[in-house]
Amino acid sequence: MRIKPWAAVAAAVPLAAGCVSAPPAAASALPSASAAAAVSRTSVVPPVVPAGTTAAWVVFDRKAGGTGRIVATRNAHRAFRSASVVKILLAIDYLESRRTVAPADARLLKIMLRSSDDDAASTLWDRAGKGAVITRQARRLGLSDTAPPPASKPGFWGYTSLSAYDVVRVYRYLLDRAAPRVRDTILGHLRAATPCGSDGFDQYFGIPRAVPRPWAVKQGWSGFGSVPPVRCAASSAPPATHAPSASAVTLGGPDSAVAQGAPASVPAAAQGASAVARDASTSAGPLRARGSGVPDLGRPVLHTTGLAGKDDRYVLAVLTAHPAGGTWSSSVRRVTRLTADLYRGLS
């Protein structure tokens, strides 16, 4: 899809300040449709998407116009497979379904949200009824582009479909409608996201590398194999203290498929039952299937989502799919550069 002017595209997908659905009892508190936010006009050229990369983004400025509005958008309703971004919905579903949290479950939530732990997510996914959790949350939060994994892959939570538009709605729900204990628990963990994921991948790409603190993030990656090309070390993944220039975004070295870890081609069945039981967000590699119902199956996906700015001014979702066989390093560079250019255009 060709890039259209931000104002023209965003006007087609307005996100009202109170557009996120609330529980029925609170529905009357939402603004009317006439309060849908207009998009600020800007002469800033939108980020250039590299050839072969499919990208979508939505940025909501909570202070623009007094009530907030979308200020940048591209492919807002385009569906991507969620990878680990879906863990936010798992956490919301869990916390809103009970009044107290057992210590063991509190630990699961912590490592799932801070370090994107897959085993913790699988435990909560199974307890919640697998895809039923997505159906519940999509209905409750009014997520028009979100759907559970295909019936043929009930255990693969990373095969949930969602859009940048819906991701922004989820964050807005947490900020504006969720109970304080739900909001503070989830966002508290996302503000403390660790440099390294539990699987050894560096999860400080996109927002953490391109946007100055404060921020809260939930990242997602899928299709890069089960082992990172270089295992992440906390000391090697410092958070950004300022938004870098495009030329400064140079994570990794040359795009060598060997040196930078091309996606694994080992069949899921050969990886053991535990790998198959998990969502395959990083373990099953670039599986290929036509008509699977899974967006971009066969292509690596990399997502950076979260809040940025003083008082969580901006809600950002940048979702991307990369060429089959694309390396981790080259994909990370693309996403980080896109995010840096996008954020720079907001100022």
Side-chain angles (χ1 to χ4, degrees):
M1 176 182 291
R2 293 177 62 84
I3 299 177
K4 299 180 182 179
W6 285 4
V9 180
V13 286
L15 185 65
C19 188
V20 176
S21 297
S28 60
L30 296 177
S32 64
S34 62
V39 178
S40 63
R41 296 184 179 276
T42 176
S43 60
V44 176
V45 177
V48 175
V49 179
T53 298
T54 302
W57 58 73
V58 171
V59 181
F60 187 87
D61 183 344
R62 299 174 67 221
K63 292 186 177 181
T67 57
R69 62 190 174 198
I70 288 177
V71 293
T73 183
R74 173 187 171 91
N75 291 339
H77 292 285
R78 202 269 194 190
F80 290 78
R81 70 180 186 276
S82 68
S84 290
V85 175
V86 74
K87 291 169 182 174
I88 303 175
L89 291 178
L90 282 174
I92 293 173
D93 190 81
Y94 175 90
L95 291 168
E96 291 190 337
S97 67
R98 65 206 72 219
R99 293 182 177 275
T100 60
V101 178
D105 288 349
R107 288 192 291 272
L108 289 177
L109 289 169
K110 178 179 179 179
I111 61 174
M112 180 181 75
L113 294 173
R114 294 190 184 194
S115 303
S116 205
D117 188 87
D118 288 349
D119 291 334
S122 293
T123 297
L124 297 179
W125 176 261
D126 291 343
R127 282 197 216 160
K130 296 183 169 62
V133 65
I134 305 304
T135 302
R136 282 195 300 272
Q137 290 302 311
R139 183 182 303 117
R140 179 174 174 79
L141 276 61
L143 308 179
S144 59
D145 309 314
T146 298
S152 62
K153 301 183 183 297
F156 287 62
W157 43 258
Y159 286 175
T160 296
S161 300
L162 46 69
S163 67
Y165 187 87
D166 277 0
V167 173
V168 168
R169 290 175 71 95
V170 171
Y171 280 106
R172 299 226 50 236
Y173 175 80
L174 287 171
L175 289 165
D176 302 332
R177 308 300 307 168
R181 71 178 186 88
V182 176
R183 177 193 65 226
D184 295 344
T185 297
I186 295 175
L187 294 184
H189 287 316
L190 300 188
R191 296 187 203 283
T194 60
C196 307
S198 292
D199 57 6
F201 280 81
D202 181 346
Q203 63 171 358
Y204 270 13
F205 56 83
I207 294 172
R209 287 281 187 178
V211 176
R213 285 188 184 268
W215 41 251
V217 294
K218 184 69 205 77
Q219 313 284 67
W221 55 94
S222 173
F224 295 97
S226 58
V227 180
V230 177
R231 189 168 184 84
C232 174
S235 60
S236 68
T241 55
H242 64 283
S245 64
S247 61
V249 182
T250 56
L251 299 177
D255 292 344
S256 163
V258 175
Q260 302 302 328
S265 59
V266 180
Q271 298 178 34
S274 61
V276 176
R278 285 160 48 183
D279 82 312
S281 65
T282 59
S283 61
L287 303 177
R288 301 176 184 277
R290 292 185 179 274
S292 66
V294 181
D296 298 306
L297 191 61
R299 298 177 66 191
V301 297
L302 200 62
H303 311 318
T304 182
T305 76
L307 310 174
K310 183 180 179 181
D311 299 323
D312 300 323
R313 176 172 179 174
Y314 297 107
V315 184
L316 303 90
V318 180
L319 312 183
T320 61
H322 300 265
T327 68
W328 170 261
S329 178
S330 63
S331 300
V332 162
R333 283 201 301 277
R334 292 187 189 104
V335 173
T336 300
R337 181 169 296 163
L338 280 174
T339 306
D341 290 346
L342 184 61
Y343 189 77
R344 190 179 303 108
L346 303 176
S347 57

Short mmCIF file of all heavy atoms in Angstrom, two decimals, residues 109-137:
data_model
loop_
_atom_site.label_atom_id
_atom_site.label_comp_id
_atom_site.label_asym_id
_atom_site.label_seq_id
_atom_site.Cartn_x
_atom_site.Cartn_y
_atom_site.Cartn_z
N LEU A 109 2.75 -13.38 36.20
CA LEU A 109 2.44 -12.10 35.55
C LEU A 109 3.68 -11.25 35.39
O LEU A 109 3.90 -10.61 34.35
CB LEU A 109 1.38 -11.35 36.35
CG LEU A 109 -0.04 -11.92 36.32
CD1 LEU A 109 -0.90 -11.22 37.36
CD2 LEU A 109 -0.66 -11.77 34.94
N LYS A 110 4.51 -11.23 36.41
CA LYS A 110 5.72 -10.41 36.39
C LYS A 110 6.66 -10.81 35.26
O LYS A 110 7.09 -9.97 34.46
CB LYS A 110 6.43 -10.49 37.73
CG LYS A 110 7.73 -9.70 37.80
CD LYS A 110 8.37 -9.81 39.18
CE LYS A 110 9.69 -9.05 39.24
NZ LYS A 110 10.31 -9.13 40.59
N ILE A 111 6.99 -12.10 35.18
CA ILE A 111 7.96 -12.52 34.16
C ILE A 111 7.34 -12.52 32.77
O ILE A 111 8.04 -12.32 31.78
CB ILE A 111 8.59 -13.89 34.49
CG1 ILE A 111 7.53 -14.98 34.55
CG2 ILE A 111 9.36 -13.81 35.79
CD1 ILE A 111 8.12 -16.38 34.72
N MET A 112 6.01 -12.72 32.69
CA MET A 112 5.37 -12.69 31.39
C MET A 112 5.37 -11.28 30.80
O MET A 112 5.63 -11.09 29.61
CB MET A 112 3.92 -13.18 31.49
CG MET A 112 3.17 -13.17 30.17
SD MET A 112 1.45 -13.72 30.27
CE MET A 112 0.67 -12.29 31.06
N LEU A 113 5.11 -10.28 31.65
CA LEU A 113 5.02 -8.91 31.16
C LEU A 113 6.38 -8.22 31.09
O LEU A 113 6.64 -7.46 30.16
CB LEU A 113 4.07 -8.11 32.05
CG LEU A 113 2.60 -8.55 32.00
CD1 LEU A 113 1.79 -7.81 33.05
CD2 LEU A 113 2.01 -8.34 30.61
N ARG A 114 7.25 -8.47 32.05
CA ARG A 114 8.55 -7.79 32.04
C ARG A 114 9.53 -8.44 31.08
O ARG A 114 10.27 -7.76 30.37
CB ARG A 114 9.15 -7.77 33.44
CG ARG A 114 8.38 -6.95 34.45
CD ARG A 114 9.17 -6.80 35.73
NE ARG A 114 8.40 -6.09 36.75
CZ ARG A 114 8.92 -5.58 37.85
NH1 ARG A 114 10.22 -5.72 38.10
NH2 ARG A 114 8.15 -4.96 38.72
N SER A 115 9.56 -9.77 31.08
CA SER A 115 10.57 -10.50 30.30
C SER A 115 9.96 -11.35 29.19
O SER A 115 10.64 -12.18 28.60
CB SER A 115 11.41 -11.38 31.23
OG SER A 115 12.02 -10.60 32.23
N SER A 116 8.67 -11.15 28.93
CA SER A 116 7.98 -11.83 27.84
C SER A 116 8.13 -13.35 27.91
O SER A 116 8.36 -14.02 26.90
CB SER A 116 8.48 -11.31 26.48
OG SER A 116 7.50 -11.49 25.48
N ASP A 117 7.98 -13.89 29.11
CA ASP A 117 8.18 -15.31 29.31
C ASP A 117 7.05 -16.13 28.67
O ASP A 117 5.87 -15.94 28.98
CB ASP A 117 8.25 -15.62 30.81
CG ASP A 117 8.66 -17.05 31.08
OD1 ASP A 117 9.87 -17.32 31.13
OD2 ASP A 117 7.76 -17.91 31.21
N ASP A 118 7.41 -17.05 27.78
CA ASP A 118 6.42 -17.83 27.05
C ASP A 118 5.75 -18.89 27.91
O ASP A 118 4.54 -19.14 27.76
CB ASP A 118 7.07 -18.50 25.85
CG ASP A 118 7.42 -17.52 24.74
OD1 ASP A 118 6.97 -16.37 24.79
OD2 ASP A 118 8.15 -17.93 23.81
N ASP A 119 6.50 -19.55 28.77
CA ASP A 119 5.90 -20.59 29.60
C ASP A 119 4.86 -20.01 30.55
O ASP A 119 3.81 -20.63 30.79
CB ASP A 119 6.99 -21.32 30.40
CG ASP A 119 7.88 -22.17 29.50
OD1 ASP A 119 7.40 -22.59 28.42
OD2 ASP A 119 9.04 -22.41 29.86
N ALA A 120 5.13 -18.83 31.09
CA ALA A 120 4.15 -18.17 31.95
C ALA A 120 2.87 -17.87 31.17
O ALA A 120 1.76 -18.08 31.65
CB ALA A 120 4.73 -16.89 32.54
N ALA A 121 3.04 -17.39 29.94
CA ALA A 121 1.87 -17.09 29.10
C ALA A 121 1.08 -18.35 28.79
O ALA A 121 -0.15 -18.34 28.82
CB ALA A 121 2.33 -16.41 27.82
N SER A 122 1.77 -19.44 28.50
CA SER A 122 1.09 -20.69 28.18
C SER A 122 0.28 -21.20 29.37
O SER A 122 -0.83 -21.72 29.20
CB SER A 122 2.10 -21.75 27.74
OG SER A 122 2.70 -21.40 26.52
N THR A 123 0.81 -21.03 30.56
CA THR A 123 0.08 -21.45 31.77
C THR A 123 -1.22 -20.67 31.91
O THR A 123 -2.29 -21.25 32.14
CB THR A 123 0.95 -21.24 33.02
OG1 THR A 123 2.11 -22.07 32.92
CG2 THR A 123 0.18 -21.59 34.29
N LEU A 124 -1.15 -19.36 31.77
CA LEU A 124 -2.34 -18.52 31.90
C LEU A 124 -3.30 -18.75 30.73
O LEU A 124 -4.53 -18.72 30.90
CB LEU A 124 -1.94 -17.06 31.98
CG LEU A 124 -1.10 -16.68 33.21
CD1 LEU A 124 -0.74 -15.19 33.17
CD2 LEU A 124 -1.82 -17.02 34.50
N TRP A 125 -2.77 -18.96 29.54
CA TRP A 125 -3.58 -19.23 28.35
C TRP A 125 -4.42 -20.49 28.55
O TRP A 125 -5.64 -20.50 28.28
CB TRP A 125 -2.67 -19.37 27.15
CG TRP A 125 -3.30 -19.74 25.85
CD1 TRP A 125 -3.35 -20.98 25.28
CD2 TRP A 125 -3.93 -18.85 24.91
NE1 TRP A 125 -3.97 -20.93 24.06
CE2 TRP A 125 -4.34 -19.64 23.81
CE3 TRP A 125 -4.19 -17.49 24.90
CZ2 TRP A 125 -5.00 -19.09 22.71
CZ3 TRP A 125 -4.85 -16.94 23.81
CH2 TRP A 125 -5.24 -17.74 22.73
N ASP A 126 -3.78 -21.56 29.01
CA ASP A 126 -4.51 -22.82 29.21
C ASP A 126 -5.60 -22.67 30.26
O ASP A 126 -6.71 -23.17 30.10
CB ASP A 126 -3.53 -23.93 29.61
CG ASP A 126 -2.60 -24.33 28.47
OD1 ASP A 126 -2.91 -24.00 27.30
OD2 ASP A 126 -1.55 -24.95 28.74
N ARG A 127 -5.28 -21.99 31.35
CA ARG A 127 -6.26 -21.80 32.42
C ARG A 127 -7.46 -20.99 31.96
O ARG A 127 -8.58 -21.20 32.41
CB ARG A 127 -5.61 -21.07 33.59
CG ARG A 127 -4.74 -21.91 34.48
CD ARG A 127 -4.55 -21.14 35.76
NE ARG A 127 -3.24 -21.32 36.32
CZ ARG A 127 -2.70 -20.49 37.20
NH1 ARG A 127 -3.34 -19.39 37.55
NH2 ARG A 127 -1.51 -20.74 37.71
N ALA A 128 -7.21 -20.03 31.08
CA ALA A 128 -8.27 -19.11 30.66
C ALA A 128 -9.15 -19.68 29.55
O ALA A 128 -10.08 -19.00 29.10
CB ALA A 128 -7.65 -17.79 30.20
N GLY A 129 -8.86 -20.89 29.11
CA GLY A 129 -9.68 -21.49 28.06
C GLY A 129 -9.15 -21.24 26.67
O GLY A 129 -9.90 -21.26 25.69
N LYS A 130 -7.85 -20.98 26.58
CA LYS A 130 -7.17 -20.76 25.29
C LYS A 130 -7.84 -19.61 24.52
O LYS A 130 -7.94 -18.50 25.05
CB LYS A 130 -7.11 -22.06 24.49
CG LYS A 130 -6.28 -23.15 25.17
CD LYS A 130 -6.18 -24.38 24.30
CE LYS A 130 -5.16 -25.38 24.82
NZ LYS A 130 -5.48 -25.90 26.16
N GLY A 131 -8.29 -19.86 23.29
CA GLY A 131 -8.80 -18.78 22.46
C GLY A 131 -9.99 -18.05 23.03
O GLY A 131 -10.29 -16.91 22.63
N ALA A 132 -10.68 -18.64 24.00
CA ALA A 132 -11.83 -17.99 24.61
C ALA A 132 -11.44 -16.67 25.27
O ALA A 132 -12.25 -15.74 25.33
CB ALA A 132 -12.49 -18.91 25.62
N VAL A 133 -10.21 -16.59 25.76
CA VAL A 133 -9.77 -15.35 26.39
C VAL A 133 -9.74 -14.20 25.39
O VAL A 133 -10.09 -13.05 25.72
CB VAL A 133 -8.38 -15.54 27.06
CG1 VAL A 133 -7.31 -15.81 26.02
CG2 VAL A 133 -8.00 -14.31 27.87
N ILE A 134 -9.38 -14.49 24.16
CA ILE A 134 -9.33 -13.45 23.13
C ILE A 134 -10.74 -13.02 22.74
O ILE A 134 -11.02 -11.82 22.58
CB ILE A 134 -8.56 -13.95 21.89
CG1 ILE A 134 -7.16 -14.44 22.29
CG2 ILE A 134 -8.49 -12.85 20.83
CD1 ILE A 134 -6.33 -13.40 23.01
N THR A 135 -11.62 -13.98 22.61
CA THR A 135 -13.01 -13.65 22.29
C THR A 135 -13.62 -12.77 23.38
O THR A 135 -14.30 -11.78 23.08
CB THR A 135 -13.83 -14.94 22.13
OG1 THR A 135 -13.24 -15.74 21.09
CG2 THR A 135 -15.27 -14.63 21.77
N ARG A 136 -13.37 -13.12 24.63
CA ARG A 136 -13.91 -12.32 25.75
C ARG A 136 -13.38 -10.90 25.72
O ARG A 136 -14.11 -9.93 25.85
CB ARG A 136 -13.53 -12.95 27.09
CG ARG A 136 -14.33 -14.14 27.51
CD ARG A 136 -14.12 -14.45 28.99
NE ARG A 136 -12.75 -14.75 29.35
CZ ARG A 136 -12.20 -15.96 29.29
NH1 ARG A 136 -12.91 -16.99 28.86
NH2 ARG A 136 -10.95 -16.16 29.65
N GLN A 137 -12.06 -10.77 25.59
CA GLN A 137 -11.45 -9.46 25.65
C GLN A 137 -11.78 -8.60 24.44
O GLN A 137 -11.96 -7.38 24.55
CB GLN A 137 -9.93 -9.59 25.82
CG GLN A 137 -9.51 -10.11 27.18
CD GLN A 137 -10.01 -9.22 28.30
OE1 GLN A 137 -9.85 -8.01 28.27
NE2 GLN A 137 -10.62 -9.83 29.30
#
